[in-house]
Amino acid sequence: QVQLVESGGGLVQRGGSLRLSCAADRALVTFRTMAWFRQAPGKQRELVAAVNDLGRTHYADFVQARFTIDRAPQKNTAYLQMDNLEPEDSATYFCNAEIRSRFNDLINGRLDRLDFWGQGAQVTVSS
């Protein structure tokens, strides 16, 4: 079992920035894809951004060039740089990682096919 540990959430004002980090507790694991999802109260979990082991990235439309996903060289750590945050971005942000190639499942919202999740990091943006 792989454990994903997220950090970097918090409270920020509108227009501010946060950087989320996600690290696996097993250094020998190699992830084909890593992604960030978010879930606000009463809403479904939705994809924010994803990156695969070839560097291909995908962003949700609502990101609008404000967020950047990247991976550490060892590739089992992922980051989400969030700039120009809006109150609508307030949610719990979850890290996802896949040992098998799941890039299309991530893009198509097939959460039922995804394996490893972090515990969530709370992001709150005040107006």
Side-chain angles (χ1 to χ4, degrees):
Q1 184 68 20
V2 174
Q3 299 292 328
L4 300 175
V5 180
E6 297 134 334
S7 60
L11 173 64
V12 65
Q13 290 185 335
R14 179 197 297 266
S17 298
L18 285 173
R19 182 173 175 83
L20 302 180
S21 300
C22 172
D25 65 339
R26 293 173 57 186
L28 296 180
V29 171
T30 299
F31 295 123
R32 298 289 304 275
T33 63
M34 297 190 77
W36 289 95
F37 286 75
R38 71 184 188 184
Q39 188 168 18
K43 295 188 177 181
Q44 292 186 335
R45 189 171 298 190
E46 60 183 354
L47 177 68
V48 177
V51 60
N52 69 7
D53 54 347
L54 300 178
R56 177 187 175 191
T57 58
H58 175 84
Y59 293 93
D61 290 342
F62 59 77
V63 169
Q64 298 180 339
R66 299 178 298 132
F67 299 174
T68 303
I69 188 170
D70 63 296
R71 300 177 68 165
Q74 63 268 36
K75 298 184 178 181
N76 63 353
T77 304
Y79 305 95
L80 183 68
Q81 176 66 39
M82 302 186 292
D83 298 317
N84 196 19
L85 284 161
E86 296 287 340
E88 295 74 23
D89 296 315
S90 297
T92 302
Y93 284 69
F94 295 92
C95 176
N96 163 265
E98 299 297 318
I99 296 174
R100 292 172 287 182
S101 179
R102 295 291 192 201
F103 204 77
N104 288 334
D105 291 326
L106 289 164
I107 295 174
N108 294 323
R110 291 296 306 272
L111 274 65
D112 58 305
R113 301 195 69 183
L114 305 181
D115 293 324
F116 303 114
W117 295 91
Q119 79 285 356
Q122 182 64 40
V123 171
T124 303
V125 185
S126 66
S127 56

